[in-house]
């Protein structure tokens, strides 16, 4: 029987994040195709009391690092070193991390320290000799079938590769304290300050409606038409790369391969052509409505609904119609 | 201040990606080449650091001979010097790439002095391995932080800023020499000037053969490699043609009906 699958679990305010729970579900599937090996978790930092509840996500043992020097604030090298040393101590068959910013960073640190290859944003694995896997390239607009070799397999799991698999009534995970020895150099890089997000703003990742603007909006000033509609719907404004490159809007609003991934109930894409690097950021939207002058634009084969026309005419008309209906008390 | 920036040549894909029939690569018959947007910003940041504090900037790539174009693009923006680790054009995995880059940095530093800052993109546009910069930093024993959207150079230190997972921003403070991975948004890259392009055309590029000629990627790493690409494929398309619900301003009532139907109209 081979060693356990070790999963780095990100958590905040006493809750594991969603992509980490998906990664545990992925590990559960992988464990059974490896003949039923155990799934173990590494939890670093305050809030580690959530450990036992990970039993419902298939975790047999949660290793908890509480030493404030390591766990007090995020320290990528130290956390990667902790993951590497636990993986070695446990003789892990595989080490998994969520495909988030921190997950990818911690995994790369662990892999570099172990001198082993690692694969990012994996969608599925068939164990064997070697392992065969499918992973995302170009932020998911292209897939790669690859092999992964080595005495221990390291990979990050792409967000939404598998759904969360919570089974209430499962036995609680056992808790094991873990005190890694981490060098001063590893601890030297750590978070030294925080700035809170701007109060009252609807974040792109949480918005139910995102009104997206591209080159077709034409100017920074014309974004007021998008903002008006977003405000009426309690949503947020998102933009294409052309818009941030022109300096019309801040990069924090960019949707796509090098921007944010969004998953609203509705994405209204205005004056956006639908380049694949943009679409990978919004394809998780439940529905897409395109507003575009060009009925042949590639966005038409991605959107569910379309209005053909000049967004400068269409958007104000939609906002006026919403006001008119609300004015009539619905 | 001496800075190095590492970039990777990638195809400039358009609305959709087309693969060669054997699925081994993107069909680039009708495509130009570029570098990842993160790397464009890393180049701009390198130029700004030297503009502000003096010193010299160098751009490095590992890739085919044609990757010279991407080095000249960087020099047109103000990078002083370029190094091409020349391969036969085959795909290199992240372990081999990082080993070759770390070795090249060591050799270059031995000859010309240390780099205070080595800049990488957060991830390459095509492979998206999220690891080459970190592997190089660990090999060189230097502090590293990735995902940066802000960078300030101080006396023997740098301060870095990036988006925090729960919203807002977090900062890091690193002793130099250091390695950083930057994200698009850290700056707005300038456009190349005509004199800049002309100057870049005339500059020499230092070519160092790597790979088959010098023993192959495996020899560079001397350890487990991968992941090793077997074949590329396009994801299945799920959506079909959009339903046109109207034209121009007259479409407004139909749009608002739709908002109501999907439950996002609110009140
Ligand atoms: C590695 C890489 C990463 C990238 N990452 C991203 C990313 O994260 N996000 C991103 O968005 N892009 C990204 N890009 C860029 C991407 O390839 C496209 O260049 C970009 O998305 C195009 O933006 P756009 O749709 O606004 O502009 P265009 O492609 O120019 O489209 C403009 C559209 O507006 C329409 N239009 C014009 N006027 C009007 C009007 N008055 N009313 C209605 N419609 C009108 C036109 O018909 C057209 O369809 C990336 C590129 C690369 C190479
Ligand atoms: N072949 C290469 N030549 C130079 N730099 C590279 C190469 N591959 C990757 N890099 C750098 O490493 C970063 C991360 O790449 P990756 O690990 O592939 O996501 C990129 O943004 C580049 O800055």
């Amino acid at each position: 029987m081979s060693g356990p699958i070790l999963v780095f679990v990100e958590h905040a305010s006493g809750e594991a994040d969603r992509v980490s729970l998906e990664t545990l579900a992925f590990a559960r599937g992988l464990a059974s195709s490896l003949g039923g090996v155990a799934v173990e978790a590494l939890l670093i930092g305050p809030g580690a009391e959530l450990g036992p509840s990970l039993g419902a996500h298939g975790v047999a043992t949660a290793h908890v690092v509480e030493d404030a020097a390591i766990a007090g604030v995020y320290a990528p090298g130290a956390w990667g070193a902790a993951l590497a040393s636990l993986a070695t101590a446990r003789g892990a068959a595989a080490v998994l991390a969520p495909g988030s910013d921190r997950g990818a960073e911690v995994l790369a640190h662990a892999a570099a320290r172990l001198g082993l290859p690692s694969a990012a944003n994996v969608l599925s694995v068939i164990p064997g000799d070697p392992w065969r896997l499918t992973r995302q390239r170009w932020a998911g607009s292209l897939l790669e079938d690859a092999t992964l070799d080595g005495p221990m397999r390291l990979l990050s799991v792409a967000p939404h590769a598998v759904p969360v698999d919570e089974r209430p009534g499962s036995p609680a995970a056992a808790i094991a304290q873990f005190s890694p020895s981490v060098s001063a150099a590893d601890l030297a890089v750590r978070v030294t300050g925080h700035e809170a997000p701007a109060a009252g703003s609807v974040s792109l990742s949480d918005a139910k409606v995102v009104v997206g603007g591209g080159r077709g909006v034409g100017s920074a000033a014309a974004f007021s038409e998008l903002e008006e509609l977003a405000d009426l719907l309690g949503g947020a404004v998102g933009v294409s790369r052309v818009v941030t490159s022109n300096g019309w809007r801040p990069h924090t609003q960019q949707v796509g391969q090098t921007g944010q991934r969004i998953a609203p109930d509705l994405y209204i894409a205005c004056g956006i052509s639908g380049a694949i690097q943009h679409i990978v950021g919004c394809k998780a939207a439940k529905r897409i409505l395109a507003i575009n002058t060009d009925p042949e634009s590639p966005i038409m084969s991605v959107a569910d609904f379309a209005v053909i026309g000049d967004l400068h005419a269409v958007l104000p008309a939609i906002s006026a119609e919403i006001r008119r209906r609300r004015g009539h008390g619905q | 201040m001496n800075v190095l920036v590492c970039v990777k040549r990638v195809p400039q894909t358009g609305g959709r990606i087309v693969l060669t029939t054997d699925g081994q690569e993107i069909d680039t018959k009708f495509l130009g080449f570029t570098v990842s947007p993160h790397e464009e910003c890393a180049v701009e940041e390198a130029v700004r650091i030297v503009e502000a504090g003096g010193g010299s900037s160098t751009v490095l790539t590992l890739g085919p001979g044609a990757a010279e174009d991407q080095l000249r693009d960087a020099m047109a923006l103000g990078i002083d010097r370029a190094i091409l680790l020349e391969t036969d054009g085959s795909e290199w995995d992240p372990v081999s790439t990082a080993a070759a880059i770390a070795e090249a940095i060591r050799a270059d530093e031995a000859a010309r002095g240390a780099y205070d800052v080595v800049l990488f993109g957060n991830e390459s546009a095509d492979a998206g391995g999220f690891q080459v910069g970190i592997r190089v930093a660990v090999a060189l024993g230097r502090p590293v932080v990735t995902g940066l959207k802000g960078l300030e150079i101080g006396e023997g230190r740098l301060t870095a800023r990036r988006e925090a997972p729960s919203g807002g921003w977090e900062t890091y403070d690193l002793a130099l020499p250091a390695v950083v991975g930057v994200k698009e948004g850290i700056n707005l890259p300038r456009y190349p000037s005509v004199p800049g392009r002309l100057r870049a055309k005339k500059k020499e590029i230092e070519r160092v053969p790597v790979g088959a000629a010098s023993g192959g990627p495996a020899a560079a790493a001397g350890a487990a490699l991968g992941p090793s690409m077997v074949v590329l494929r396009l994801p299945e398309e799920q959506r079909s043609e959009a339903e046109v619900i109207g034209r121009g301003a007259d479409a407004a009532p139909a749009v608002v009906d739709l908002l109501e139907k999907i439950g996002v109209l609110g009140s």
Side-chain angles (χ1 to χ4, degrees):
Chain A
M1 171 80 54
S2 55
I5 298 173
L6 178 62
V7 180
F8 169 68
V9 172
E10 264 192 274
H11 58 101
S13 319
E15 271 187 64
D17 84 335
R18 194 191 156 80
V19 188
S20 291
L21 294 179
E22 292 170 0
T23 303
L24 288 174
F26 189 100
R28 199 201 282 264
L30 182 56
S32 73
S33 48
L34 284 171
V37 303
V39 174
E40 302 187 357
L42 171 62
L43 290 169
I44 304 178
E49 62 276 8
L50 81 97
S53 69
L54 294 180
H57 296 274
V59 174
T61 305
H63 301 269
V64 177
V65 177
E66 279 177 342
D67 177 358
I70 299 168
V73 292
Y74 177 58
W79 290 27
L83 182 60
S85 68
L86 182 61
T88 305
R90 299 297 300 151
V95 178
L96 272 53
S100 56
D101 287 347
R102 284 188 177 183
E105 188 174 44
V106 168
L107 187 74
H109 273 283
R113 283 162 174 76
L114 292 165
L116 291 174
S118 77
N121 289 314
V122 171
L123 293 167
S124 62
V125 170
I126 304 171
D129 192 16
W131 283 18
R132 296 188 65 104
L133 57 84
T134 299
R135 59 176 296 268
Q136 295 178 330
R137 286 192 170 216
W138 294 93
S141 40
L142 188 59
L143 304 180
E144 170 189 1
D145 290 335
T147 56
L148 185 63
D149 226 336
M152 189 188 284
R153 272 76 173 200
L154 282 76
L155 56 97
S156 71
V157 177
H160 312 308
V162 294
V164 171
D165 180 7
E166 182 172 11
R167 300 181 192 171
S170 311
I175 301 298
Q177 297 296 327
F178 176 55
S179 311
S181 64
V182 169
S183 72
D186 282 334
L187 283 167
V189 180
R190 58 215 323 259
V191 174
T192 50
H194 275 292
E195 275 168 58
S201 56
V202 180
S203 90
L204 256 188
S205 49
D206 298 338
K208 290 259 180 281
V209 179
V210 173
V211 183
R215 191 197 301 273
V217 177
S219 69
F223 269 90
S224 59
E225 296 166 1
L226 283 83
E227 265 171 359
E228 184 183 17
L229 180 58
D231 284 347
L232 282 169
L233 298 174
V237 169
V239 304
S240 76
R241 179 164 178 243
V242 168
V243 170
T244 56
S245 304
N246 284 341
W248 295 346
R249 304 293 288 192
H251 188 271
T252 45
Q253 294 183 340
Q254 183 174 314
V255 171
Q257 177 168 345
T258 49
Q260 308 271 337
R261 310 291 148 84
I262 57 171
D265 289 344
L266 178 66
Y267 183 52
I268 309 180
C270 312
I272 292 177
S273 66
I276 196 144
Q277 298 90 359
H278 184 78
I279 298 308
V280 291
C282 65
K283 67 178 180 198
K286 284 210 190 91
R287 290 181 190 80
I288 298 177
L289 165 66
I291 302 177
N292 202 300
T293 42
D294 177 9
E296 305 294 320
S297 174
I299 188 79
M300 297 298 163
S301 54
V302 182
D304 304 277
F305 306 99
V307 172
I308 310 300
D310 182 348
L311 67 94
H312 302 298
V314 180
L315 283 176
I318 297 172
S319 294
E321 177 68 11
I322 293 173
R323 280 212 198 79
R324 194 185 64 79
R325 291 199 196 179
R326 286 188 184 157
H328 289 263
Q330 294 200 27
Chain B
M1 203 55 52
N2 288 327
V3 297
L4 175 72
V5 54
C6 296
V7 301
K8 182 180 188 189
R9 174 183 168 92
V10 298
Q12 187 147 31
T13 58
R16 37 197 305 263
I17 292 176
V18 180
L19 296 174
T20 56
T21 43
D22 62 4
Q24 290 300 299
E25 54 188 0
I26 291 178
D27 186 346
T28 54
K29 266 200 295 293
F30 306 109
L31 299 181
F33 287 82
T34 182
V35 302
S36 136
H38 299 313
E39 291 156 30
E40 286 176 15
C41 290
V43 168
E44 173 68 29
E45 201 64 23
V47 172
R48 288 188 190 184
I49 291 172
V50 171
E51 280 173 351
S56 154
S57 56
T58 303
V59 60
L60 177 149
T61 193
L62 178 144
E68 179 184 329
D69 294 347
Q70 281 60 52
L71 298 177
R72 293 208 190 276
D73 287 347
M75 289 195 290
L77 297 174
I79 298 284
D80 301 310
R81 192 176 151 242
I83 302 172
L84 172 56
L85 305 181
E86 194 168 349
T87 67
D88 61 2
S90 59
E91 163 123 356
W92 278 48
D93 69 283
V95 176
S96 312
T97 303
I101 292 175
E103 195 184 304
I105 292 175
R106 277 195 205 101
D108 197 50
E109 289 188 331
R112 308 177 45 119
Y115 290 108
D116 301 287
V117 186
V118 180
L119 296 115
F120 287 86
N122 193 65
E123 81 269 5
S124 56
D126 62 339
F130 291 83
Q131 52 187 277
V132 167
I134 291 171
R135 287 186 186 273
V136 170
V138 170
L140 298 174
R142 292 184 194 171
V144 56
V145 63
T146 60
L148 302 195
K149 285 196 167 183
L151 181 58
E152 262 176 59
I153 308 286
E155 203 46 54
R157 309 195 69 78
L158 66 80
T159 307
R161 189 166 177 267
R162 78 180 195 191
E163 283 172 277
S166 49
W169 297 85
E170 56 193 25
T171 49
Y172 297 80
D173 187 41
L174 274 61
L176 300 180
V179 177
V180 295
V182 314
K183 273 195 178 174
E184 184 182 38
I186 191 171
N187 55 39
L188 264 184
R190 69 195 69 188
Y191 290 100
S193 62
V194 175
R197 284 224 170 272
L198 291 176
R199 232 179 303 122
K201 227 183 217 161
K202 286 189 223 125
K203 282 197 176 163
E204 189 153 342
I205 288 177
E206 294 161 43
R207 289 169 181 266
V208 182
V210 291
S214 64
L225 302 176
S228 312
M229 192 263 283
V230 175
V231 72
L232 300 174
R233 36 194 187 92
L234 295 170
E236 276 162 45
E237 300 271 351
Q238 276 139 7
R239 299 183 200 254
S240 52
E241 210 54 26
E243 176 193 336
V244 176
I245 59 171
R247 286 174 189 272
D250 294 345
V255 171
V256 181
D257 287 348
L258 176 69
L259 298 178
E260 191 153 30
K261 198 175 111 204
I262 55 188
V264 296
L265 187 55
S267 57

